Amino acid sequence: MAETSGSSGTTQSEQTIENLLNKARASISKKEIKEAIGDILAAIDFCSCNKGNTKQLRHGKDKSCHLKQFVNGVRSKDLDAIYDVANSPCSCGFAWPSCSSPKHLEAIDLLTESLETEGHYVSAITTGLGIIRLRPISAAGYCRVAKTIRLILKLEKEGKKAKRVNPKVARTLATLEKDAGLTTARLYIFMKKLVQAGLNNTSEKYRNDAHDEYDQILMRMAHSLKLQNSLRDPAAKLPLELLRQIFSHLDTSDVIRSLRVSKKWNRIIKHDTLLWEEVRLAQPRNPGNRVFATWLRGHQGVKSLTIDEVSGFGFSAKRLYMLLFGLPNLQCLIIKTAAPHRCDTIQELDPAPSPSQKLGLAQLSLDGYQAPVSLLVQLLDLSKDTLEVLDLVQTGSKPERAIKAVRMPKLRSLWVDIDMAGTSTEEHVLRMPEIVASTPNLEAFCLNGFQLEWTPGQPTPQGWRQLKHASFGPAMGIEAHTQGTILLPRIFPPMTESMEKIEIMTMNPVIAHNYLFTVMDGAEARHPLHSQEMGLEFDEGKLPKLPNLELFRSRCAIDVGLLGRLLAVPAAREGSLRVLELAVEQRWAVRQRHLWCPVVGLESIVVPAEAFVWMESEKIEHLGLYFFNYAGFAFQYGQRFNGQPFLDWLDKFPALNSVSVYPDWPGEGVMPFIGKLILHPRVKKIFQDSLRTGYEWDEACLLAVQRSVDLYHCDFNVPYGPSLFKNW
């Protein structure tokens, strides 16, 4: 009569076995081992491999012949001997069953555990060897036998140390020596060789199914026993060039740990000069000057050094001097810290460099490290002939003084970001002519935290002919010392057609309009809207053409007509514009007439599809909008949000795949708007600041997953500066 299958696909016999094994486990937890063994044996009898079997189902009680076969197999130098023993009958003539049922294997495994728990160690070993007979390509049997032998040897060692004999262990050792000639020393060797055979028999040589947890346990056992198979080099067969390429993708801390893997790896890593050209230390401890000096002598080829957290490094004036002049090939130095209060303040290098000493730094980046003006001047002066990239982020007060004190003709990128916390705007005054004079060949700049200062008679800066990237941070302001009503001249060098990326993250319209639209007419500065009001002629041909512009972002609302003249042709329609983010409402101060700062009126709401019709482009891939709600008057908080005009605008851009929306709106209606963005057929990535936690965020994330859309929450002060240039 055929066995019936249950709803889960298991046969009736498998379900019976599972019930018996669960009952046995419950008995083991109650320490009722005898009852558990009875249930396990009954479960084994229910296995399909025993149905209709007229032969003897179990080996006799004396299993010494079974044990001797494995001992003889282990003594053989043939790695396949144990596999052959497992597939052959016992020397007494008993034919061991072979079964692929996982339940049968699970039952014998549980039986071995029960016998070991009860202290029947010899029976546990022979039963574990029975698992190997049942399925020699499974790691379970080898693990069980090795675990039992290790327990026996451990208890025997503890007994000797305590000078107290364990009766069960003593009987076990006597039986093993009598039946199989296994003394304590030979028992340890038997365990090692059995594990070695297990590694061979469970390899791809005999099996092609997935490995389980017992395979991992067997490998850990082999590693603790220091077997050759477990210590083999996984990269032994790889060419040296490929191995070096793999090492080159590791962090420096991982490379240092790899030195301890083997003599071969140590030799390869130490002699690979390219591998040590870029060193990155995550959180190095204080090595001491002597150890540090030894390290410097052994790594003369280092070209780039990054210390991600320098607070625990013991950074002193002497150590900085050792680092700078102890690495003759150093070209890039990046020092960071999130705990500046734990770092010693270095006023100047110790000892002071001689006039003939120079550094070959091409990049100097300080992030969070408080560097006084005197130290910055010293570092810049030592590197002024080679420095190309300078990043000073949260480095303390007045870094602008150090920049204007040293002329750096090769500097291409400048990023200066000041922490405004606890300081007044008067402490960080920046005069652009001085900065331009010190960095005449700049290609990219990012400024944040400064007050731009202009005084009557101040000349328009000249320079930066190759400028490509311009970024103004959210904390940029302007201070003008004027007398009466006067037009603010151009305070920045004129833009060139080489511009590729422009970011205006400040909401100060004076900076935005002065940088983008003020042009020079001979010695006079002209702004188109100011000229119109004063009845003066304005030559629109003087506005720069931007054919190479790829990214334009502005959190400041800009006059729509002027923006069209600047970006429509050739940047948007014929050029390479890919990323566009605009603000449609002004959230700054009212018009300041003496500075001529045209603003979008608060009573007007710009509908992008109508106002920015000139911006329609087949190349724009990312679109963003700040400060918008089309439900009514801009500042009536509490009313329902309406973003439908933005959704309509998206249809004008066939290449669109990502959007950023920052409505800065706490009212209702934002969640349906985000939902419509997720459902938009072109949108695959969304950056927004409205949803972050709670039920609506969870619902939006679930919908985004279903639509394969990446949904991100980004704070209102979105990233700006060089990092954004690289990411976009």
Short mmCIF file of all heavy atoms in Angstrom, two decimals, residues 298-338:
data_model
loop_
_atom_site.label_atom_id
_atom_site.label_comp_id
_atom_site.label_asym_id
_atom_site.label_seq_id
_atom_site.Cartn_x
_atom_site.Cartn_y
_atom_site.Cartn_z
N GLY A 298 60.78 52.36 6.58
CA GLY A 298 60.39 51.18 5.80
C GLY A 298 59.35 51.45 4.73
O GLY A 298 58.98 50.54 3.98
N HIS A 299 58.84 52.68 4.64
CA HIS A 299 57.79 53.00 3.67
C HIS A 299 58.10 54.32 2.96
O HIS A 299 57.27 55.23 2.90
CB HIS A 299 56.43 53.09 4.37
CG HIS A 299 55.99 51.81 5.01
ND1 HIS A 299 56.42 51.42 6.26
CD2 HIS A 299 55.19 50.81 4.56
CE1 HIS A 299 55.88 50.25 6.56
NE2 HIS A 299 55.14 49.85 5.55
N GLN A 300 59.28 54.39 2.42
CA GLN A 300 59.71 55.60 1.74
C GLN A 300 58.94 55.86 0.44
O GLN A 300 58.97 56.97 -0.08
CB GLN A 300 61.21 55.51 1.43
CG GLN A 300 62.10 55.47 2.67
CD GLN A 300 62.18 56.81 3.37
OE1 GLN A 300 62.77 57.74 2.87
NE2 GLN A 300 61.56 56.90 4.54
N GLY A 301 58.25 54.84 -0.07
CA GLY A 301 57.54 55.00 -1.33
C GLY A 301 56.13 55.54 -1.20
O GLY A 301 55.42 55.69 -2.20
N VAL A 302 55.67 55.84 0.04
CA VAL A 302 54.31 56.32 0.25
C VAL A 302 54.12 57.67 -0.46
O VAL A 302 54.88 58.61 -0.25
CB VAL A 302 54.00 56.48 1.75
CG1 VAL A 302 52.64 57.14 1.95
CG2 VAL A 302 54.03 55.11 2.43
N LYS A 303 53.07 57.74 -1.30
CA LYS A 303 52.75 58.97 -2.01
C LYS A 303 51.49 59.64 -1.46
O LYS A 303 51.33 60.85 -1.60
CB LYS A 303 52.56 58.69 -3.50
CG LYS A 303 53.84 58.26 -4.21
CD LYS A 303 53.60 58.07 -5.70
CE LYS A 303 54.87 57.67 -6.42
NZ LYS A 303 54.66 57.48 -7.88
N SER A 304 50.60 58.84 -0.88
CA SER A 304 49.35 59.39 -0.34
C SER A 304 49.12 58.80 1.05
O SER A 304 49.14 57.59 1.22
CB SER A 304 48.18 59.06 -1.26
OG SER A 304 46.95 59.44 -0.68
N LEU A 305 48.88 59.67 2.03
CA LEU A 305 48.64 59.23 3.40
C LEU A 305 47.35 59.86 3.91
O LEU A 305 47.20 61.09 3.89
CB LEU A 305 49.80 59.60 4.32
CG LEU A 305 49.62 59.29 5.81
CD1 LEU A 305 49.46 57.78 6.03
CD2 LEU A 305 50.79 59.81 6.63
N THR A 306 46.41 59.02 4.34
CA THR A 306 45.14 59.48 4.91
C THR A 306 45.01 58.94 6.32
O THR A 306 45.15 57.74 6.55
CB THR A 306 43.95 58.99 4.07
OG1 THR A 306 44.07 59.49 2.74
CG2 THR A 306 42.64 59.48 4.66
N ILE A 307 44.75 59.83 7.28
CA ILE A 307 44.47 59.43 8.66
C ILE A 307 43.04 59.85 8.95
O ILE A 307 42.74 61.04 9.10
CB ILE A 307 45.46 60.08 9.65
CG1 ILE A 307 46.91 59.76 9.25
CG2 ILE A 307 45.18 59.60 11.07
CD1 ILE A 307 47.94 60.41 10.14
N ASP A 308 42.14 58.87 9.02
CA ASP A 308 40.71 59.18 9.16
C ASP A 308 40.35 59.73 10.54
O ASP A 308 39.37 60.46 10.68
CB ASP A 308 39.88 57.92 8.88
CG ASP A 308 39.84 57.60 7.40
OD1 ASP A 308 39.91 58.54 6.59
OD2 ASP A 308 39.77 56.42 7.04
N GLU A 309 41.09 59.35 11.58
CA GLU A 309 40.85 59.88 12.93
C GLU A 309 42.20 60.04 13.61
O GLU A 309 42.83 59.07 14.01
CB GLU A 309 39.94 58.95 13.73
CG GLU A 309 39.63 59.44 15.14
CD GLU A 309 39.12 60.88 15.15
OE1 GLU A 309 37.98 61.12 14.70
OE2 GLU A 309 39.88 61.76 15.61
N VAL A 310 42.63 61.28 13.74
CA VAL A 310 43.99 61.56 14.20
C VAL A 310 44.05 61.83 15.70
O VAL A 310 45.13 62.00 16.26
CB VAL A 310 44.57 62.76 13.42
CG1 VAL A 310 43.99 64.07 13.94
CG2 VAL A 310 46.08 62.78 13.45
N SER A 311 42.88 61.84 16.38
CA SER A 311 42.86 62.24 17.79
C SER A 311 43.65 61.29 18.68
O SER A 311 44.19 61.71 19.70
CB SER A 311 41.41 62.34 18.29
OG SER A 311 40.75 61.09 18.13
N GLY A 312 43.74 60.01 18.33
CA GLY A 312 44.47 59.06 19.16
C GLY A 312 45.88 58.78 18.68
O GLY A 312 46.57 57.90 19.21
N PHE A 313 46.33 59.53 17.67
CA PHE A 313 47.62 59.27 17.04
C PHE A 313 48.78 59.97 17.74
O PHE A 313 49.94 59.71 17.44
CB PHE A 313 47.55 59.72 15.57
CG PHE A 313 48.74 59.34 14.74
CD1 PHE A 313 49.07 58.00 14.55
CD2 PHE A 313 49.53 60.30 14.15
CE1 PHE A 313 50.15 57.65 13.78
CE2 PHE A 313 50.61 59.96 13.37
CZ PHE A 313 50.93 58.62 13.19
N GLY A 314 48.46 60.86 18.69
CA GLY A 314 49.52 61.61 19.34
C GLY A 314 50.18 62.59 18.41
O GLY A 314 51.40 62.68 18.33
N PHE A 315 49.35 63.34 17.69
CA PHE A 315 49.85 64.25 16.66
C PHE A 315 50.47 65.47 17.33
O PHE A 315 49.78 66.30 17.92
CB PHE A 315 48.69 64.65 15.75
CG PHE A 315 49.08 64.82 14.32
CD1 PHE A 315 49.82 63.86 13.67
CD2 PHE A 315 48.70 65.95 13.62
CE1 PHE A 315 50.17 64.01 12.35
CE2 PHE A 315 49.05 66.12 12.29
CZ PHE A 315 49.80 65.14 11.66
N SER A 316 51.77 65.61 17.21
CA SER A 316 52.50 66.73 17.80
C SER A 316 53.28 67.45 16.71
O SER A 316 53.36 66.99 15.57
CB SER A 316 53.45 66.23 18.89
OG SER A 316 54.41 65.35 18.33
N ALA A 317 53.90 68.59 17.09
CA ALA A 317 54.70 69.34 16.13
C ALA A 317 55.87 68.51 15.62
O ALA A 317 56.21 68.54 14.43
CB ALA A 317 55.19 70.64 16.78
N LYS A 318 56.48 67.74 16.51
CA LYS A 318 57.62 66.91 16.11
C LYS A 318 57.17 65.79 15.20
O LYS A 318 57.83 65.47 14.20
CB LYS A 318 58.31 66.36 17.35
CG LYS A 318 59.56 65.55 17.05
CD LYS A 318 60.26 65.11 18.33
CE LYS A 318 61.53 64.33 18.00
NZ LYS A 318 62.24 63.92 19.23
N ARG A 319 56.03 65.15 15.52
CA ARG A 319 55.57 64.03 14.71
C ARG A 319 55.11 64.49 13.33
O ARG A 319 55.32 63.80 12.33
CB ARG A 319 54.43 63.29 15.42
CG ARG A 319 54.02 62.01 14.71
CD ARG A 319 53.31 61.08 15.64
NE ARG A 319 54.18 60.65 16.73
CZ ARG A 319 53.78 59.90 17.76
NH1 ARG A 319 52.52 59.52 17.83
NH2 ARG A 319 54.63 59.55 18.69
N LEU A 320 54.49 65.65 13.26
CA LEU A 320 54.10 66.19 11.95
C LEU A 320 55.34 66.48 11.11
O LEU A 320 55.35 66.23 9.90
CB LEU A 320 53.27 67.46 12.14
CG LEU A 320 52.79 68.15 10.86
CD1 LEU A 320 51.98 67.19 10.00
CD2 LEU A 320 51.97 69.40 11.18
N TYR A 321 56.39 67.00 11.74
CA TYR A 321 57.64 67.24 11.02
C TYR A 321 58.22 65.92 10.51
O TYR A 321 58.66 65.83 9.35
CB TYR A 321 58.64 67.94 11.94
CG TYR A 321 59.98 68.24 11.28
CD1 TYR A 321 60.20 69.45 10.64
CD2 TYR A 321 61.01 67.30 11.29
CE1 TYR A 321 61.42 69.73 10.02
CE2 TYR A 321 62.23 67.57 10.68
CZ TYR A 321 62.42 68.78 10.05
OH TYR A 321 63.62 69.04 9.43
N MET A 322 58.21 64.89 11.37
CA MET A 322 58.72 63.58 10.97
C MET A 322 57.93 63.04 9.78
O MET A 322 58.51 62.47 8.84
CB MET A 322 58.63 62.60 12.14
CG MET A 322 59.56 62.91 13.30
SD MET A 322 59.19 61.89 14.75
CE MET A 322 59.51 60.25 14.11
N LEU A 323 56.62 63.22 9.81
CA LEU A 323 55.77 62.70 8.74
C LEU A 323 56.06 63.42 7.42
O LEU A 323 56.22 62.79 6.37
CB LEU A 323 54.31 62.85 9.14
CG LEU A 323 53.23 62.21 8.27
CD1 LEU A 323 52.00 61.93 9.12
CD2 LEU A 323 52.83 63.11 7.12
N LEU A 324 56.13 64.74 7.47
CA LEU A 324 56.29 65.52 6.24
C LEU A 324 57.65 65.30 5.59
O LEU A 324 57.74 65.17 4.36
CB LEU A 324 56.08 67.01 6.55
CG LEU A 324 54.66 67.43 6.94
CD1 LEU A 324 54.64 68.87 7.40
CD2 LEU A 324 53.69 67.22 5.80
N PHE A 325 58.69 65.24 6.40
CA PHE A 325 60.04 65.14 5.84
C PHE A 325 60.60 63.72 5.90
O PHE A 325 61.68 63.48 5.39
CB PHE A 325 60.97 66.12 6.55
CG PHE A 325 60.62 67.55 6.31
CD1 PHE A 325 59.92 68.28 7.26
CD2 PHE A 325 60.96 68.17 5.12
CE1 PHE A 325 59.58 69.61 7.04
CE2 PHE A 325 60.63 69.50 4.88
CZ PHE A 325 59.93 70.22 5.84
N GLY A 326 59.83 62.81 6.52
CA GLY A 326 60.27 61.42 6.56
C GLY A 326 59.75 60.59 5.40
O GLY A 326 60.16 59.44 5.20
N LEU A 327 58.81 61.16 4.63
CA LEU A 327 58.28 60.49 3.44
C LEU A 327 58.62 61.36 2.23
O LEU A 327 57.84 62.25 1.84
CB LEU A 327 56.76 60.30 3.56
CG LEU A 327 56.28 59.42 4.72
CD1 LEU A 327 54.76 59.43 4.80
CD2 LEU A 327 56.79 58.00 4.58
N PRO A 328 59.76 61.14 1.62
CA PRO A 328 60.24 62.05 0.56
C PRO A 328 59.35 62.08 -0.67
O PRO A 328 59.39 63.04 -1.43
CB PRO A 328 61.63 61.49 0.23
CG PRO A 328 61.59 60.06 0.67
CD PRO A 328 60.70 60.03 1.86
N ASN A 329 58.53 61.03 -0.89
CA ASN A 329 57.68 60.97 -2.08
C ASN A 329 56.23 61.37 -1.81
O ASN A 329 55.37 61.21 -2.67
CB ASN A 329 57.71 59.57 -2.69
CG ASN A 329 59.10 59.18 -3.17
OD1 ASN A 329 59.70 59.88 -3.96
ND2 ASN A 329 59.62 58.07 -2.67
N LEU A 330 55.95 61.87 -0.60
CA LEU A 330 54.57 62.19 -0.21
C LEU A 330 54.02 63.32 -1.07
O LEU A 330 54.61 64.40 -1.16
CB LEU A 330 54.52 62.59 1.27
CG LEU A 330 53.12 62.76 1.87
CD1 LEU A 330 52.37 61.43 1.86
CD2 LEU A 330 53.20 63.32 3.28
N GLN A 331 52.87 63.07 -1.69
CA GLN A 331 52.22 64.05 -2.55
C GLN A 331 50.84 64.45 -2.05
O GLN A 331 50.34 65.51 -2.40
CB GLN A 331 52.10 63.51 -3.98
CG GLN A 331 53.42 63.22 -4.65
CD GLN A 331 53.25 62.60 -6.02
OE1 GLN A 331 52.14 62.52 -6.55
NE2 GLN A 331 54.34 62.13 -6.60
N CYS A 332 50.22 63.57 -1.25
CA CYS A 332 48.85 63.83 -0.76
C CYS A 332 48.79 63.53 0.73
O CYS A 332 49.13 62.43 1.15
CB CYS A 332 47.85 62.97 -1.54
SG CYS A 332 46.15 63.07 -0.91
N LEU A 333 48.36 64.51 1.51
CA LEU A 333 48.20 64.34 2.96
C LEU A 333 46.78 64.75 3.35
O LEU A 333 46.37 65.88 3.12
CB LEU A 333 49.22 65.18 3.72
CG LEU A 333 49.13 65.13 5.25
CD1 LEU A 333 49.35 63.71 5.76
CD2 LEU A 333 50.11 66.10 5.89
N ILE A 334 46.04 63.78 3.93
CA ILE A 334 44.65 64.02 4.35
C ILE A 334 44.55 63.68 5.83
O ILE A 334 44.82 62.54 6.22
CB ILE A 334 43.66 63.17 3.53
CG1 ILE A 334 43.79 63.47 2.04
CG2 ILE A 334 42.22 63.43 3.99
CD1 ILE A 334 42.95 62.57 1.14
N ILE A 335 44.19 64.65 6.63
CA ILE A 335 44.08 64.47 8.09
C ILE A 335 42.66 64.83 8.51
O ILE A 335 42.18 65.93 8.23
CB ILE A 335 45.11 65.33 8.83
CG1 ILE A 335 46.53 64.92 8.44
CG2 ILE A 335 44.92 65.22 10.33
CD1 ILE A 335 47.60 65.81 9.01
N LYS A 336 42.00 63.90 9.22
CA LYS A 336 40.62 64.12 9.65
C LYS A 336 40.49 63.84 11.14
O LYS A 336 41.26 63.06 11.71
CB LYS A 336 39.66 63.19 8.89
CG LYS A 336 39.72 63.30 7.38
CD LYS A 336 38.77 62.29 6.75
CE LYS A 336 38.85 62.30 5.23
NZ LYS A 336 37.93 61.31 4.63
N THR A 337 39.48 64.44 11.74
CA THR A 337 39.13 64.11 13.12
C THR A 337 37.71 64.56 13.40
O THR A 337 37.26 65.59 12.88
CB THR A 337 40.09 64.75 14.13
OG1 THR A 337 39.70 64.36 15.46
CG2 THR A 337 40.07 66.26 14.03
N ALA A 338 37.01 63.75 14.18
CA ALA A 338 35.67 64.13 14.65
C ALA A 338 35.74 64.61 16.10
O ALA A 338 34.72 64.96 16.68
CB ALA A 338 34.72 62.94 14.54
#
